[in-house]
Amino acid sequence: MRQTYAEKVLSRAAGRTVTAGDVCTASVDFIMIQDINGPKVFEALRELEADRVLDPERALIVLDHFAPAPTPEAAAIHQGLREAARRYGIPLSDVGGGICHQLVMELGKASPGQLVVGTDSHACTYGASGAFGTSLGATEIAIALISGTVWLRVPPTLRVWLTGRLGEGVSGKDVALRLLGMIGEDGAGYMSLEFGGPGVASLPMSDRMTIANLAVDAGAKAGLFPPDEVTRRWLESIGVDGDRLIDLQPDADAVYQSEVHIDLDALTPQVALPPAVDRVAAVADVEPVKVDQVFIGTCTNGRLEDYRQVAAILKGRRIAEGVRCICFPASRSIARAMAAEGITEILIDAGCMVMGPGCGPCSGLHGGVAGPGEVILSTSSRNYPGRMGHPGAQIYLVSPATAAASAVTGVLTDPRTLGVS
């Protein structure tokens, strides 16, 4: 049987051989519930009259999207989720712990060959480590909590073939944006993106997480990096025994619906222009628009490696007058490492506002939402009107390096012009 990586993983979860188009009942390895859709999950459990879940330790509730609570209504939602965690015995990451997807990865809850589901669309992030990560609706998550299984249609696969290696000032965010520009925001509708080719080996886990994270913004069901030595070393670094991992690989003669190629050697810093994620251009080719606010963070780009790039540019420099630069680390462990490495001090000295771990203004709920007519440079995932606040704001999606360089100059800037090591 010639199978793609997605077909291999879902065959394992289904307990039988499946291929694209098949419908299967699959066993779930882990479930993530965040504070936006979490209340609906527990409402569904109440409607189903479920007084227990199958395995509480194979789930996690995360308070991250509006954390700390900016309104009484948000506080009440958090209260309800804390009570649900106590009632069902499900572990909970409270305010300040970090962003749901980062925590699932840091805790080693998404390993190669596993099926991991969540209530947030960017659950596809888990594909960076070789897990089939995908989002489901609240009722589906509730049923998964009770039964340990989900119903899925096996997606066809679009293979993304990478060659070369990234140059200075270029990162995984630029790869993801370039791909979105090539195939469009619906170019992978209900498909699995499978990343392969000789260029993959040069990508660290942080870049893989960013690329897998944005798979859903091309309409994909999942974004998958079949495990390799980079995967093994990363998992062992967080305490997961690499010798115990499920070692699945796509077959050499697997059947793909289509294939696209990206030459990493030729890639330059990219930007998604408002109002859509697939309006992508090279930063160097875009008019240097004046910036009002720079936002660095989110599940897309709030990792330690991202902030190292930012600090390398900001060290000894100042944020331009009239620009606000807000930074949200993706987790408490990242915030701690930033402080230990002196990154936090560099950011503060440069004029940045460094916040506690969480999603921040990514979805326009709190922590620096956009005002009317403002130009926002964001390392997040989406830029449609109203995403980060006022619908009249203009949101440009960029890499951490581009965000930092632009914060210094006050206009959209190619980071290579400032010298990136």
Side-chain angles (χ1 to χ4, degrees), residues 132-409:
F132 190 100
T134 196
S135 61
L136 298 174
T139 302
E140 293 172 295
I141 292 291
I143 293 171
L145 285 168
I146 298 169
S147 69
T149 61
V150 296
W151 177 90
L152 288 171
R153 175 164 58 88
V154 181
T157 297
L158 186 160
R159 183 163 69 167
V160 183
W161 195 253
L162 305 177
T163 57
R165 59 186 306 124
L166 297 174
E168 293 184 352
V170 187
S171 69
K173 182 60 164 289
D174 300 303
V175 178
L177 291 177
R178 177 60 182 149
L179 178 61
L180 284 166
M182 293 171 68
I183 67 175
E185 62 180 348
D186 294 320
Y190 205 90
M191 299 174 69
S192 168
L193 296 180
E194 181 184 300
F195 296 91
V200 169
S202 68
L203 296 175
M205 186 57 63
S206 58
D207 277 343
R208 297 181 188 198
M209 289 174 67
T210 297
I211 296 167
N213 175 275
L214 287 172
V216 70
D217 295 289
K221 187 69 173 173
L224 302 171
F225 283 83
D228 59 8
E229 187 57 30
V230 172
T231 316
R232 183 177 298 275
R233 289 197 304 268
W234 183 81
L235 286 166
E236 290 180 342
S237 75
I238 60 171
V240 178
D241 185 354
D243 292 332
R244 297 173 58 190
L245 302 181
I246 302 164
D247 188 13
L248 298 177
Q249 294 293 326
D251 291 323
D253 57 352
V255 178
Y256 297 95
Q257 181 158 311
S258 57
E259 183 169 309
V260 297
H261 293 245
I262 298 177
D263 180 4
L264 302 181
D265 287 327
L267 192 64
T268 64
Q270 304 286 296
V271 56
L273 308 170
V277 294
D278 56 1
R279 290 193 64 220
V280 177
V283 175
D285 295 338
V286 178
E287 179 183 352
V289 60
K290 185 181 181 302
V291 176
D292 295 299
Q293 178 171 296
V294 173
F295 169 42
I296 302 172
T298 78
C299 60
T300 309
N301 274 127
R303 284 171 275 283
L304 180 60
E305 294 83 355
D306 299 320
Y307 282 109
R308 285 172 176 160
Q309 295 173 21
V310 171
I313 292 172
L314 294 185
K315 188 173 184 178
R317 294 186 168 105
R318 290 283 301 175
I319 303 302
E321 185 176 354
V323 175
R324 310 181 302 276
C325 185
I326 304 174
C327 304
F328 278 79
S331 73
R332 181 177 284 117
S333 66
I334 291 171
R336 184 182 296 114
M338 287 170 59
E341 293 186 16
I343 292 173
T344 303
E345 184 177 4
I346 291 171
L347 269 55
I348 292 173
D349 288 347
C352 299
M353 187 172 188
V354 182
M355 309 291 280
C359 296
C362 175
S363 52
L365 295 172
H366 75 117
V369 299
E374 289 192 314
V375 171
I376 311 296
L377 258 63
S378 174
T379 65
S380 61
S381 56
R382 291 171 183 159
N383 64 344
Y384 55 77
R387 168 67 182 184
M388 291 182 64
H390 197 280
Q394 301 292 302
I395 306 169
Y396 293 72
L397 302 180
V398 296
S399 72
T402 299
S406 303
V408 168
T409 63

Side-chain angles (χ1 to χ4, degrees), residues 37-56:
N37 296 316
K40 297 177 183 178
V41 171
F42 295 104
E43 179 181 341
L45 285 178
R46 287 191 295 272
E47 291 176 355
L48 293 167
E49 298 182 350
D51 57 4
R52 60 183 295 274
V53 297
L54 183 65
D55 189 348

